[in-house]
Amino acid sequence: MNKIMDSSKIVVPEVADQANDQNWLEKNFTPSPAKCSSLLDLNDDCLLEVLQYITVRDAFTLLETFANRLHDVVHKRISQLKILTFDLRNAPDFTIEQLQIIGKHLKTLNICVGYSLSSDLCIFRYLKPLCYYGSIEQMTLNYVNFNEAYQQCILNLAANLRFLDLSFCQLTDELLEPILENCMLLEKLSIIGNYEWRGKSLFSIKSPKIGQITIELNDLCEEQVETFARHIGESICLIIFNKGRSNHHKGHFR
């Protein structure tokens, strides 16, 4: 920092210290008298380096406070967030608009919901805005009561989706088939713990890139899974768990 501005006495705190310094943003981003220097006097490249030390939440705070000066550089900082993982019971406190901004450049989204929690809360408060731009390539959604609204969010990602984990989602073939028909870049699929799923939707996979499928058997799907296993090419690794995941078969099946 001294090489950039010798007259500056601003010190960027360690990440661990920032959590205890509630006034750090205000002190360092408040425009100062002409004889002094503030971080706002730095060019965008230098500002972006400084913003590496703050959270995305703090970046949004800066955007609200100094929108005119920091709009572009703050958006660059937010776009660096590529992976978002959370449990819905401890979900991040972003607004819907902020989630849309995050989702624009997000590549990996992992959400554990919980059967007892509201589907509307997950879909409309989090999943729909995060999937709005369709940029996500890896999606994990677990422990949900899967329905058409969830299906539509996943379909919005179909053009870019490469990895999909819908384990413990109470899936049915009717809900899964349109997803598998439209995800043409899909490479890996995991559908463990879906005990109403009958297996017919496996034949709806259209992606020529599919390389691994992980399945847990149930009382309804075994016949369809065995038929599918006999007809797939050697390039596909089919991992089949017995019901309850006590053991599994792993290999390449024709």
Side-chain angles (χ1 to χ4, degrees), residues 105-148:
H105 300 280
L106 199 65
K107 296 302 178 186
T108 300
L109 177 61
N110 307 309
I111 305 178
C112 180
V113 180
Y115 294 129
S116 63
L117 297 183
S118 167
S119 291
D120 286 349
L121 172 64
C122 180
I123 295 167
F124 297 106
R125 178 67 178 83
Y126 292 98
L127 194 58
K128 193 171 182 179
L130 285 168
C131 295
Y132 181 80
Y133 287 101
S135 65
I136 294 169
E137 297 177 358
Q138 300 185 57
M139 178 74 185
T140 297
L141 185 64
N142 297 153
Y143 297 100
V144 305
N145 297 304
F146 204 82
N147 56 30
E148 291 182 355

Side-chain angles (χ1 to χ4, degrees), residues 19 53 76 112 143 160 174 180 183 201 210 218 230 240 244 246 248 253:
Y53 292 88
K76 286 182 180 179
C112 180
Y143 297 100
N160 293 309
E174 291 72 23
L180 299 182
C183 292
S201 52
I210 192 71
N218 61 50
R230 289 195 298 268
I240 305 175
S246 57
H248 71 276
F253 297 83

Side-chain angles (χ1 to χ4, degrees), residues 16 50 110 138 154 213:
V50 173
N110 307 309
Q138 300 185 57
I154 304 298
I213 304 170

Side-chain angles (χ1 to χ4, degrees), residues 8-9 11 21 23 38 62-63 81 86 118 161 175 183-184 186 189 192 198 202 209 216 219 244 246 252:
S8 174
K9 295 184 179 180
V11 177
D21 189 354
N23 298 318
S38 80
L62 287 177
L63 191 61
L81 179 62
F86 63 89
S118 167
L161 204 60
L175 289 169
C183 292
M184 298 301 294
L186 193 64
L189 172 68
I192 293 172
R198 294 176 178 269
L202 289 173
K209 297 179 177 291
E216 179 186 352
D219 296 334
S246 57
H252 301 268

